Amino acid sequence: MGEDMTSKRTSLVQAGMGDDPAYKSVSPPIYLSSTYCFDTITQKGKYDYGRTANPNRDELAETLTLLENGSSCVVTSSGMSAIDLVTNLFNADALIFAPNDCYAGTHRLLSNRAEQGRLKVKFIDFLDVKEVSEAFKEKPALVMLESPSNPLMRLVDIQEISKLAKSVGALVAVDNTFLSPVRQRPLDLGADFSIHSTTKYLNGHSDVVGGAIISKKEDHGNQLAWWANCLGITGSPFDSFMTLRGMRTLHARMDAQESSAMKVAQFLYNHPKISKVYYPGLPSDPGYNLCKKQQSGPGAMISFEVIGGFNSAKSVIENLKIFQLAPSLGGVESLISYPPTMTHGGMSETLRRDAGIKENLLRISIGLESSEDIIQDLSASFALI
Ligand code: PLP
């Protein structure tokens, strides 16, 4: 990403700043108005109605488009509405592939839509080469990827799957929530859409729920914008302002959080009470080489398994002082979650088992606290198992 990313870093810090035509405010004003005056009955200005377009939402969309090297972006009310939005490009006969270990909300959405007959879905293990080549014979219309996956940090070769998808005429959408564009740019790797729960790293302060979908092709972007307006799922002005405000520090946050995460992952890897660590920044992780190839860093999310099953996992959580027990991620504060009952509680036991989510699995989002304090907190809690 090199120099290109350096100029993006500068553009991101200054996005929308100093453009205020009214009072020359440095920070952009928030336009809460739901409607805008027409000049005459046949002539309107740039904006007419807030669901369709809004200056704060546009500023955020333009910045995300720049960061992801896309042609346009639709900012939505949540990550889930961004994921749902892309499915509107397809008819009921279209087959959609999604990872068998995807975020449980994505799994719930796609499987229930399929049950209603609104689309067809097949959940597959994208790391199983044989399963993938068999599956592609069914000619999917859309391939959804999530890399790294939630919660097992499994990486999928976006470039390889995109090539395969193109060969059967399928489009590719990648959920880039766990990394953000400062660590991975799916459109550069051949995908057609990059999707975010902006709730996470992009906003970064655990005070907005939002989403975004960036398209590579203008035509797709126009269709998505049409559907978002039609469905009424565009993001609010205030949330858009907050998200762009949070994004100004995205590079600095990710650099610091990732650097701490690397130290924490090494600590976990060497700890006798930890039986497995899922973090693609560790040479022992199956995704290590792919991480070097398609990401500019491993990010700040780690999952691990403690020895002793459910009771040990419960004890670790109950004895931590710095980590808060909450299902989200990507904020400035460190969070811990228990995937079997929290993020993935909606999945059946069988589906969880198939996805590799065990009862001793914990997922942590490393925040901006001192890495020494974070490691000390984990260490003290492990001592009580
Ligand atoms: N995608 C991933 C990978 C997630 O982790 C989440 C939420 O945790 C979502 C999508 C959904 O985002 P939201 O909660 O903003 O709707």
Side-chain angles (χ1 to χ4, degrees):
M1 292 188 189
E3 273 186 25
D4 179 27
M5 220 46 211
T6 309
S7 65
K8 283 187 181 355
R9 188 173 182 131
T10 302
S11 304
L12 177 54
V13 171
Q14 303 203 341
M17 285 194 159
D19 293 343
D20 171 28
Y23 300 110
K24 297 188 171 194
S25 68
V26 170
S27 183
I30 308 177
Y31 288 92
L32 292 172
S33 184
S34 59
T35 191
Y36 297 81
C37 295
F38 276 56
D39 295 330
T40 68
I41 54 166
T42 53
Q43 203 173 358
K44 66 181 181 79
K46 185 171 179 193
Y47 295 98
D48 57 0
Y49 189 58
R51 165 160 46 76
T52 317
N54 165 275
N56 298 99
R57 198 159 63 233
D58 280 358
E59 257 162 17
L60 173 59
E62 280 159 24
T63 308
L64 281 167
T65 302
L66 174 86
L67 290 181
E68 290 272 11
N69 281 340
S71 69
S72 66
C73 165
V74 176
V75 172
T76 58
S77 56
S78 69
M80 286 319 303
S81 55
I83 292 169
D84 195 31
L85 181 58
V86 72
T87 67
N88 288 285
L89 300 185
F90 304 91
N91 63 31
D93 290 332
L95 174 62
I96 296 181
F97 284 176
N100 65 345
D101 62 340
C102 61
Y103 168 59
T106 307
H107 200 285
R108 176 178 58 194
L109 171 72
L110 296 176
S111 48
N112 280 279
R113 286 268 192 251
E115 254 173 52
Q116 290 176 315
R118 306 235 332 234
L119 48 83
K120 293 192 177 118
V121 68
K122 189 179 179 83
F123 293 101
I124 58 176
D125 178 354
F126 282 102
L127 298 187
D128 184 332
V129 179
K130 206 163 152 234
E131 187 179 335
V132 170
S133 71
E134 271 305 303
F136 269 88
K137 289 180 190 158
E138 293 180 50
K139 299 233 160 57
L142 174 69
V143 178
M144 281 192 159
L145 301 176
E146 192 180 294
S147 187
S149 71
N150 181 2
L152 293 178
M153 316 298 153
R154 286 164 26 122
L155 305 191
V156 176
D157 194 323
I158 297 171
Q159 212 159 19
E160 283 306 308
I161 299 287
S162 298
K163 270 189 216 151
L164 209 51
K166 297 281 124 65
S167 72
V168 297
L171 298 176
V172 176
V174 179
D175 187 328
N176 201 16
T177 297
F178 267 40
L179 288 175
S180 89
V182 305
R183 285 295 177 271
Q184 176 170 272
R185 295 208 299 253
L187 306 186
D188 290 355
L189 298 166
D192 300 279
F193 308 100
S194 180
I195 299 180
H196 290 276
S197 163
T198 57
T199 315
K200 314 290 163 34
Y201 285 102
L202 291 171
N203 175 61
H205 293 74
S206 302
D207 49 14
V208 168
V209 171
I213 175 163
I214 302 100
S215 303
K216 180 143 84 187
K217 297 200 184 97
E218 209 178 310
D219 173 40
H220 290 146
N222 291 340
Q223 287 181 54
L224 290 174
W226 186 89
W227 272 109
N229 179 47
C230 184
L231 294 164
I233 56 164
T234 45
S236 81
F238 187 70
D239 287 353
S240 300
F241 170 87
M242 288 290 280
T243 304
L244 187 56
R245 180 182 191 269
M247 275 167 57
R248 296 185 200 290
T249 55
L250 177 61
H251 286 89
R253 281 187 282 112
M254 188 55 99
D255 288 351
Q257 289 173 234
E258 183 180 68
S259 154
S260 288
M262 184 57 96
K263 291 181 196 154
V264 174
Q266 278 157 353
F267 159 78
L268 292 169
Y269 183 74
N270 291 314
H271 200 285
K273 292 191 179 162
I274 303 306
S275 49
K276 191 152 189 177
V277 183
Y278 299 90
Y279 185 64
L282 290 178
S284 57
D285 191 277
Y288 182 74
N289 288 330
L290 187 52
C291 171
K292 291 237 172 278
K293 182 179 137 193
Q294 74 182 11
Q295 302 175 193
S296 57
M301 292 298 299
I302 308 171
S303 289
F304 59 96
E305 290 165 7
V306 282
I307 57 164
F310 171 78
N311 286 336
S312 297
K314 186 166 172 282
S315 163
V316 167
I317 289 171
E318 285 173 356
N319 289 299
L320 286 168
K321 305 267 182 293
I322 289 181
F323 286 86
Q324 302 193 57
L325 178 62
S328 197
L329 61 113
V332 293
E333 72 295 328
S334 290
L335 296 180
I336 187 159
S337 80
Y338 183 62
T341 58
M342 294 169 71
T343 51
H344 290 66
M347 269 173 143
S348 72
E349 220 176 309
T350 318
L351 285 174
R352 276 203 301 273
R353 201 180 42 242
D354 290 351
I357 300 165
K358 299 187 190 153
E359 61 164 17
N360 59 345
L361 181 76
L362 293 166
R363 191 193 75 184
I364 50 178
S365 170
I366 301 298
L368 283 175
E369 304 89 350
S370 111
S371 58
E372 286 80 13
D373 287 347
I374 292 172
I375 290 172
Q376 171 53 35
D377 197 27
L378 288 166
S379 180
S381 171
F382 295 162
L384 299 170
I385 299 176

